[in-house]
Every structure is written in structure tokens, then in C-alpha cells.
mmCIF file of all heavy atoms in Angstrom:
data_model
loop_
_atom_site.group_PDB
_atom_site.id
_atom_site.type_symbol
_atom_site.label_atom_id
_atom_site.label_comp_id
_atom_site.label_asym_id
_atom_site.label_seq_id
_atom_site.Cartn_x
_atom_site.Cartn_y
_atom_site.Cartn_z
ATOM 1 N N PRO A 1 133.415 -72.200 84.112
ATOM 2 C CA PRO A 1 132.068 -72.769 83.871
ATOM 3 C C PRO A 1 131.071 -71.742 83.328
ATOM 4 O O PRO A 1 130.270 -72.052 82.444
ATOM 5 C CB PRO A 1 131.647 -73.242 85.257
ATOM 6 C CG PRO A 1 132.901 -73.485 85.971
ATOM 7 C CD PRO A 1 133.849 -72.478 85.442
ATOM 8 N N LEU A 2 131.139 -70.488 83.806
ATOM 9 C CA LEU A 2 130.235 -69.482 83.356
ATOM 10 C C LEU A 2 130.687 -68.914 82.038
ATOM 11 O O LEU A 2 129.896 -68.651 81.145
ATOM 12 C CB LEU A 2 130.105 -68.332 84.338
ATOM 13 C CG LEU A 2 129.047 -68.497 85.404
ATOM 14 C CD1 LEU A 2 129.040 -67.302 86.382
ATOM 15 C CD2 LEU A 2 127.665 -68.635 84.783
ATOM 16 N N LYS A 3 131.983 -68.750 81.838
ATOM 17 C CA LYS A 3 132.538 -68.190 80.626
ATOM 18 C C LYS A 3 132.108 -68.954 79.392
ATOM 19 O O LYS A 3 131.652 -68.377 78.422
ATOM 20 C CB LYS A 3 134.034 -68.136 80.713
ATOM 21 C CG LYS A 3 134.715 -67.266 79.640
ATOM 22 C CD LYS A 3 136.240 -67.332 79.792
ATOM 23 C CE LYS A 3 136.807 -65.988 80.169
ATOM 24 N NZ LYS A 3 138.253 -65.963 80.179
ATOM 25 N N SER A 4 132.145 -70.278 79.453
ATOM 26 C CA SER A 4 131.722 -71.123 78.346
ATOM 27 C C SER A 4 130.210 -71.040 78.129
ATOM 28 O O SER A 4 129.737 -71.152 76.977
ATOM 29 C CB SER A 4 132.173 -72.550 78.513
ATOM 30 O OG SER A 4 131.569 -73.109 79.657
ATOM 31 N N GLN A 5 129.403 -70.872 79.172
ATOM 32 C CA GLN A 5 127.936 -70.730 79.058
ATOM 33 C C GLN A 5 127.534 -69.462 78.391
ATOM 34 O O GLN A 5 126.525 -69.402 77.665
ATOM 35 C CB GLN A 5 127.284 -70.833 80.399
ATOM 36 C CG GLN A 5 126.985 -72.116 81.044
ATOM 37 C CD GLN A 5 125.987 -72.990 80.325
ATOM 38 O OE1 GLN A 5 126.442 -73.933 79.692
ATOM 39 N NE2 GLN A 5 124.703 -72.746 80.332
ATOM 40 N N ILE A 6 128.201 -68.353 78.704
ATOM 41 C CA ILE A 6 127.693 -67.053 78.259
ATOM 42 C C ILE A 6 128.392 -66.473 77.017
ATOM 43 O O ILE A 6 128.026 -65.387 76.589
ATOM 44 C CB ILE A 6 127.841 -66.039 79.434
ATOM 45 C CG1 ILE A 6 129.286 -65.772 79.792
ATOM 46 C CG2 ILE A 6 127.029 -66.457 80.649
ATOM 47 C CD1 ILE A 6 129.551 -64.592 80.634
ATOM 48 N N LYS A 7 129.264 -67.174 76.430
ATOM 49 C CA LYS A 7 130.053 -66.585 75.341
ATOM 50 C C LYS A 7 129.201 -66.082 74.219
ATOM 51 O O LYS A 7 129.573 -65.089 73.595
ATOM 52 C CB LYS A 7 131.072 -67.635 74.830
ATOM 53 C CG LYS A 7 130.500 -68.847 74.193
ATOM 54 C CD LYS A 7 131.539 -69.844 73.753
ATOM 55 C CE LYS A 7 130.866 -71.102 73.277
ATOM 56 N NZ LYS A 7 131.790 -72.159 73.174
ATOM 57 N N ASN A 8 128.026 -66.588 73.993
ATOM 58 C CA ASN A 8 127.154 -66.092 72.908
ATOM 59 C C ASN A 8 126.177 -65.034 73.411
ATOM 60 O O ASN A 8 125.399 -64.540 72.658
ATOM 61 C CB ASN A 8 126.386 -67.239 72.322
ATOM 62 C CG ASN A 8 127.288 -68.239 71.592
ATOM 63 O OD1 ASN A 8 128.280 -67.871 71.046
ATOM 64 N ND2 ASN A 8 126.947 -69.477 71.680
ATOM 65 N N TYR A 9 126.206 -64.693 74.733
ATOM 66 C CA TYR A 9 125.289 -63.797 75.253
ATOM 67 C C TYR A 9 125.885 -62.596 75.951
ATOM 68 O O TYR A 9 125.360 -62.081 76.923
ATOM 69 C CB TYR A 9 124.297 -64.506 76.278
ATOM 70 C CG TYR A 9 123.600 -65.649 75.593
ATOM 71 C CD1 TYR A 9 124.068 -66.973 75.731
ATOM 72 C CD2 TYR A 9 122.483 -65.425 74.822
ATOM 73 C CE1 TYR A 9 123.361 -68.009 75.150
ATOM 74 C CE2 TYR A 9 121.797 -66.431 74.178
ATOM 75 C CZ TYR A 9 122.222 -67.726 74.349
ATOM 76 O OH TYR A 9 121.545 -68.748 73.739
ATOM 77 N N LEU A 10 127.018 -62.179 75.527
ATOM 78 C CA LEU A 10 127.684 -60.998 76.106
ATOM 79 C C LEU A 10 127.200 -59.715 75.525
ATOM 80 O O LEU A 10 127.083 -59.596 74.313
ATOM 81 C CB LEU A 10 129.230 -61.093 75.932
ATOM 82 C CG LEU A 10 129.923 -62.256 76.668
ATOM 83 C CD1 LEU A 10 131.390 -62.295 76.319
ATOM 84 C CD2 LEU A 10 129.779 -62.086 78.167
ATOM 85 N N PHE A 11 126.897 -58.793 76.395
ATOM 86 C CA PHE A 11 126.476 -57.438 75.916
ATOM 87 C C PHE A 11 127.401 -56.484 76.628
ATOM 88 O O PHE A 11 127.597 -56.472 77.848
ATOM 89 C CB PHE A 11 125.052 -57.142 76.382
ATOM 90 C CG PHE A 11 124.039 -58.001 75.738
ATOM 91 C CD1 PHE A 11 123.575 -59.136 76.361
ATOM 92 C CD2 PHE A 11 123.556 -57.689 74.529
ATOM 93 C CE1 PHE A 11 122.619 -59.923 75.805
ATOM 94 C CE2 PHE A 11 122.584 -58.470 73.874
ATOM 95 C CZ PHE A 11 122.101 -59.590 74.525
ATOM 96 N N LYS A 12 127.965 -55.607 75.818
ATOM 97 C CA LYS A 12 128.772 -54.507 76.394
ATOM 98 C C LYS A 12 127.811 -53.420 76.697
ATOM 99 O O LYS A 12 127.095 -52.889 75.818
ATOM 100 C CB LYS A 12 129.834 -54.015 75.392
ATOM 101 C CG LYS A 12 130.915 -55.089 75.149
ATOM 102 C CD LYS A 12 131.982 -54.587 74.212
ATOM 103 C CE LYS A 12 132.970 -55.663 74.053
ATOM 104 N NZ LYS A 12 134.034 -55.288 73.154
ATOM 105 N N THR A 13 127.722 -53.057 77.939
ATOM 106 C CA THR A 13 126.662 -52.151 78.424
ATOM 107 C C THR A 13 127.015 -50.683 78.299
ATOM 108 O O THR A 13 126.175 -49.862 78.530
ATOM 109 C CB THR A 13 126.204 -52.467 79.818
ATOM 110 O OG1 THR A 13 127.344 -52.394 80.684
ATOM 111 C CG2 THR A 13 125.582 -53.839 79.894
ATOM 112 N N ASP A 14 128.289 -50.400 77.951
ATOM 113 C CA ASP A 14 128.628 -48.972 77.853
ATOM 114 C C ASP A 14 127.938 -48.332 76.674
ATOM 115 O O ASP A 14 127.545 -47.196 76.717
ATOM 116 C CB ASP A 14 130.132 -48.786 77.822
ATOM 117 C CG ASP A 14 130.801 -49.537 76.766
ATOM 118 O OD1 ASP A 14 130.207 -50.440 76.118
ATOM 119 O OD2 ASP A 14 132.009 -49.284 76.467
ATOM 120 N N VAL A 15 127.742 -49.066 75.579
ATOM 121 C CA VAL A 15 127.050 -48.554 74.420
ATOM 122 C C VAL A 15 126.194 -49.695 73.891
ATOM 123 O O VAL A 15 126.684 -50.614 73.191
ATOM 124 C CB VAL A 15 128.000 -48.045 73.332
ATOM 125 C CG1 VAL A 15 127.234 -47.537 72.134
ATOM 126 C CG2 VAL A 15 128.900 -46.954 73.844
ATOM 127 N N LEU A 16 124.931 -49.688 74.216
ATOM 128 C CA LEU A 16 124.006 -50.726 73.758
ATOM 129 C C LEU A 16 123.356 -50.294 72.450
ATOM 130 O O LEU A 16 122.766 -49.241 72.458
ATOM 131 C CB LEU A 16 122.965 -50.997 74.822
ATOM 132 C CG LEU A 16 122.044 -52.158 74.702
ATOM 133 C CD1 LEU A 16 122.792 -53.466 74.803
ATOM 134 C CD2 LEU A 16 120.983 -52.121 75.766
ATOM 135 N N THR A 17 123.480 -51.041 71.430
ATOM 136 C CA THR A 17 122.875 -50.709 70.137
ATOM 137 C C THR A 17 121.438 -51.100 70.120
ATOM 138 O O THR A 17 120.960 -51.892 70.957
ATOM 139 C CB THR A 17 123.575 -51.426 68.968
ATOM 140 O OG1 THR A 17 123.369 -52.800 69.023
ATOM 141 C CG2 THR A 17 125.096 -51.128 68.953
ATOM 142 N N GLU A 18 120.677 -50.611 69.168
ATOM 143 C CA GLU A 18 119.259 -51.009 69.023
ATOM 144 C C GLU A 18 119.120 -52.492 68.836
ATOM 145 O O GLU A 18 118.311 -53.136 69.491
ATOM 146 C CB GLU A 18 118.644 -50.311 67.774
ATOM 147 C CG GLU A 18 118.069 -48.980 68.108
ATOM 148 C CD GLU A 18 117.296 -48.400 66.863
ATOM 149 O OE1 GLU A 18 116.918 -49.188 65.956
ATOM 150 O OE2 GLU A 18 117.175 -47.202 66.824
ATOM 151 N N GLN A 19 119.981 -53.096 68.019
ATOM 152 C CA GLN A 19 119.888 -54.547 67.747
ATOM 153 C C GLN A 19 120.231 -55.340 69.012
ATOM 154 O O GLN A 19 119.589 -56.300 69.298
ATOM 155 C CB GLN A 19 120.772 -54.926 66.616
ATOM 156 C CG GLN A 19 120.305 -54.423 65.264
ATOM 157 C CD GLN A 19 118.850 -54.831 64.946
ATOM 158 O OE1 GLN A 19 118.500 -55.977 65.080
ATOM 159 N NE2 GLN A 19 118.053 -53.879 64.592
ATOM 160 N N GLU A 20 121.199 -54.866 69.796
ATOM 161 C CA GLU A 20 121.526 -55.535 71.024
ATOM 162 C C GLU A 20 120.374 -55.428 72.053
ATOM 163 O O GLU A 20 120.082 -56.345 72.779
ATOM 164 C CB GLU A 20 122.807 -54.952 71.658
ATOM 165 C CG GLU A 20 124.072 -55.342 70.904
ATOM 166 C CD GLU A 20 125.288 -54.577 71.405
ATOM 167 O OE1 GLU A 20 125.176 -53.439 71.838
ATOM 168 O OE2 GLU A 20 126.380 -55.180 71.293
ATOM 169 N N ALA A 21 119.709 -54.229 72.062
ATOM 170 C CA ALA A 21 118.612 -54.018 72.973
ATOM 171 C C ALA A 21 117.444 -55.004 72.606
ATOM 172 O O ALA A 21 116.905 -55.688 73.477
ATOM 173 C CB ALA A 21 118.130 -52.601 72.891
ATOM 174 N N ILE A 22 117.184 -55.123 71.352
ATOM 175 C CA ILE A 22 116.129 -56.061 70.828
ATOM 176 C C ILE A 22 116.470 -57.436 71.231
ATOM 177 O O ILE A 22 115.666 -58.219 71.757
ATOM 178 C CB ILE A 22 115.860 -55.868 69.359
ATOM 179 C CG1 ILE A 22 115.290 -54.498 69.028
ATOM 180 C CG2 ILE A 22 115.017 -57.022 68.803
ATOM 181 C CD1 ILE A 22 115.268 -54.094 67.596
ATOM 182 N N LYS A 23 117.750 -57.863 70.956
ATOM 183 C CA LYS A 23 118.209 -59.224 71.244
ATOM 184 C C LYS A 23 118.151 -59.522 72.726
ATOM 185 O O LYS A 23 117.712 -60.567 73.148
ATOM 186 C CB LYS A 23 119.601 -59.379 70.714
ATOM 187 C CG LYS A 23 120.143 -60.796 70.850
ATOM 188 C CD LYS A 23 121.545 -60.888 70.249
ATOM 189 C CE LYS A 23 122.141 -62.318 70.472
ATOM 190 N NZ LYS A 23 123.531 -62.372 70.011
ATOM 191 N N LEU A 24 118.538 -58.528 73.532
ATOM 192 C CA LEU A 24 118.485 -58.642 75.005
ATOM 193 C C LEU A 24 117.102 -58.948 75.453
ATOM 194 O O LEU A 24 116.836 -59.885 76.206
ATOM 195 C CB LEU A 24 119.072 -57.410 75.656
ATOM 196 C CG LEU A 24 118.957 -57.366 77.158
ATOM 197 C CD1 LEU A 24 119.786 -58.399 77.799
ATOM 198 C CD2 LEU A 24 119.353 -55.944 77.678
ATOM 199 N N ILE A 25 116.140 -58.087 75.039
ATOM 200 C CA ILE A 25 114.741 -58.235 75.503
ATOM 201 C C ILE A 25 114.181 -59.523 74.969
ATOM 202 O O ILE A 25 113.502 -60.280 75.727
ATOM 203 C CB ILE A 25 113.907 -57.007 75.098
ATOM 204 C CG1 ILE A 25 114.450 -55.748 75.742
ATOM 205 C CG2 ILE A 25 112.447 -57.226 75.439
ATOM 206 C CD1 ILE A 25 114.597 -55.770 77.265
#
């Protein structure tokens, strides 16, 4: 149930890029 909800919102936190940081916020 969660896997299908979050598939477009996954962030790998070991190396967050600038674009991922902007998208996250």
C-alpha cells in the first residue's frame, strides 16, 4: 500500500542533489 503511494517521491538520502533538495522542500 505504501510502495505504490510513494513511488514518485523516493529520495536517496545518502547523496541528496541540489535538485532533489529543492524538490523535497
Side-chain angles (χ1 to χ4, degrees):
L2 271 178
K3 195 182 242 184
S4 62
Q5 275 298 104
I6 65 168
K7 64 184 173 193
N8 295 326
Y9 301 100
L10 292 176
F11 295 95
K12 293 183 179 179
T13 57
D14 55 347
V15 180
L16 190 65
T17 68
E18 272 187 20
Q19 290 307 310
E20 288 172 329
I22 291 167
K23 185 178 175 183
L24 172 66
I25 299 304

